[in-house]
Amino acid sequence: MNTTAPTLTPTTRALTWCLHLLIVGLLVLAAGRAWADSQPHTGMIIGVATACALVYAAGPLLPHVRRSRRAAAVWLAAVGAVWLMLLALSADGVWVAFPLYFLQLHLLPRRAGLAAVVVTALAVITAFAVHRGSFSPVTAIGPALGAAVAVAVVWGYQALYRESEERRKLIEELTATRADLAQAQHTAGVLAERERLAREIHDTLAQGFSSIQLLLRAAERALPTAPQTAARHVEQARQAAVDNLAEARRFVVALAPPALVGSTLTSALEHLCATTSTRHRLTARFHLTGEPQPLPTAYEVALLRITQSALSNTVRHAHATIAEVTLSYLGDHVAVDIVDNGTGFDPDRLPAPHPENGGFGLSTMRARTHALGGTLIIESTMGHGTALAAQLPLTPAADNKPEAHP
């Protein structure tokens, strides 16, 4: 049997002291009335009342009484035994029964406490009838009513305390859940921002550095035999570095790409095709289909970045001579198509992305289109070129909010 009392209902210091003072006061009252009225056995009554007070005072001083059901039961039995002696000597001892009810209900288990209260009430009724020399139903009403009030008060207090504890635990769980949710949202936000930064770095700085590297290699090959061509490649590389620096600065302050500042998506794509044709051995031609209409900035940024990445892949890997870029406004969606006459590849056998060798371009394009509720379609066959189509809806779904852009 577990004798510990972890389930005791805590009480405030004020209630505890009120109970102590009530018991001591009632014992003093019994002893005082015995002395004042010169009752028979006055000395014994005063001595037993004093002994009862001393036995009761030992309880709060003993730590085992607060921690052990068994110790509390032994202490209550000792207090009850001395109290019964007082009850046998003086009718004034019946008043001590009322605070004893509260002690029994608080320290003992629920059933044992109720049984102790019933026994105590019967002892009071019997003793009071003996001291009066007669018994009547009125004699039993007071002790029974006091016991009922004590049971109602103590059990009501315990029920309120349990409800308060359950509410406190629920609030703690809700607080912990909110903290976990906030942490999860923060983590998701960090991951989303990290993914966005990775896409922007790949489509701006990484592509720019790749273009500079290709131009400088071309200048290195042309330098021994064609210094003017080499100088032109170096100048183009310098201009690419200037453009890259502008992209980096606007990337830091979260502004739109330089190509879209004070310009339209159509103009930006035309300029991109012209720049690509000038810097590399690739003829990039731009076409416009449909009536242009204003697009959200996130759409323009995504389509521009996808086109930049596709043309960069064409220059680096496809060995193509012609690339056709088509911007189409098709009623309920806008699309950009990039088609080249390069060597092509097998879309089902792409190498895994690698920090040194790259390979992040296509996954970045897909992430951009999916973030805006669009689709990315790639068709390619070895030796027959590549066609890439990115489509974005002009009425995006509510759960596809445009992402932030640099």
Side-chain angles (χ1 to χ4, degrees):
M1 176 179 177
N2 187 9
T3 59
T4 60
T7 59
L8 280 181
T9 304
T11 57
T12 63
R13 187 182 297 272
L15 288 176
T16 302
W17 276 103
C18 285
L19 184 63
H20 295 338
L21 293 176
L22 180 60
I23 290 180
V24 172
L26 292 174
L27 291 173
V28 170
L29 176 64
R33 288 194 61 179
W35 179 79
D37 296 342
S38 299
Q39 297 178 6
H41 312 294
T42 299
M44 292 183 62
I45 292 174
I46 295 175
V48 172
T50 302
C52 187
L54 292 175
V55 174
Y56 175 80
L61 300 178
L62 296 175
H64 291 292
V65 173
R66 295 189 299 270
R67 295 198 299 261
S68 170
R69 295 281 194 190
R70 181 176 298 173
V74 171
W75 174 67
L76 282 175
V79 173
V82 181
W83 170 72
L84 287 175
M85 294 174 60
L86 177 64
L87 189 62
L89 294 171
S90 173
D92 292 326
V94 298
W95 306 111
V96 182
F98 187 68
L100 285 181
Y101 294 153
F102 288 94
L103 277 177
Q104 293 162 349
L105 292 169
H106 176 65
L107 293 178
L108 297 178
R110 194 179 186 87
R111 293 183 179 179
L114 182 60
V117 168
V118 172
V119 172
T120 302
L122 292 176
V124 169
I125 295 171
T126 302
F128 195 65
V130 170
H131 284 291
R132 291 189 59 181
S134 64
F135 173 80
S136 65
V138 177
T139 306
I141 292 177
L145 185 60
V149 170
V151 171
V153 170
V154 173
W155 285 4
Y157 175 80
Q158 292 174 346
L160 289 175
Y161 178 80
R162 287 193 297 270
E163 183 179 352
S164 175
E165 280 297 292
E166 291 175 359
R167 183 173 299 177
R168 181 186 61 81
K169 292 178 181 179
L170 178 60
I171 292 175
E172 289 179 352
E173 291 176 0
L174 289 175
T175 303
T177 301
R178 289 181 61 184
D180 294 340
L181 179 60
Q183 181 62 33
Q185 291 176 339
H186 174 73
T187 302
V190 170
L191 293 177
E193 181 65 9
R194 182 180 299 173
E195 183 180 356
R196 186 189 71 83
L197 293 177
R199 291 198 301 264
E200 297 300 333
I201 291 174
H202 176 272
D203 292 342
T204 57
L205 303 183
Q207 301 293 357
F209 289 138
S210 177
S211 179
I212 292 172
Q213 185 183 37
L214 292 175
L215 290 169
L216 291 179
R217 286 180 178 176
E220 183 181 15
R221 290 193 300 267
L223 185 59
T225 58
Q228 293 181 349
T229 302
R232 186 174 70 254
H233 287 322
V234 171
E235 175 60 25
Q236 292 172 348
R238 187 194 67 79
Q239 184 59 46
V242 171
D243 295 342
N244 228 30
L245 181 59
E247 289 277 11
R249 286 171 176 169
R250 292 186 173 271
F251 177 71
V252 169
V253 298
L255 296 177
L260 292 175
V261 175
S263 179
T264 63
L265 177 61
T266 300
S267 300
L269 293 178
E270 286 180 335
H271 178 73
L272 175 62
C273 290
T275 303
T276 303
S277 299
T278 302
R279 294 177 179 174
H280 305 286
R281 296 179 179 178
L282 174 69
T283 300
R285 296 193 289 247
F286 174 75
H287 307 278
L288 176 64
T289 301
E291 184 66 25
Q293 55 182 295
L295 298 176
T297 303
Y299 279 38
E300 293 185 341
V301 172
L303 294 175
L304 176 61
R305 297 304 191 205
I306 290 172
T307 306
Q308 286 176 328
S309 182
L311 289 178
S312 176
N313 287 343
T314 300
V315 170
R316 295 174 58 191
H317 308 295
H319 306 292
T321 58
I322 297 175
E324 306 286 350
V325 177
T326 304
L327 175 63
S328 304
Y329 293 88
L330 303 174
D332 60 346
H333 67 273
V334 60
V336 63
D337 299 88
I338 302 95
V339 181
D340 65 55
N341 63 347
T343 57
F345 62 94
D346 186 352
D348 297 327
R349 301 182 62 182
L350 292 174
H354 191 274
E356 295 183 0
N357 301 326
F360 298 95
L362 294 178
S363 60
T364 300
M365 295 181 205
R366 287 194 179 93
R368 285 190 182 277
T369 55
H370 291 168
L372 296 174
T375 58
L376 182 73
I377 301 174
I378 302 172
E379 296 180 356
S380 183
T381 304
M382 296 296 294
H384 294 83
T386 301
L388 182 148
Q391 294 186 359
L392 299 177
L394 292 180
T395 54
D399 58 344
N400 293 316
K401 298 180 180 179
E403 63 176 7
H405 56 83

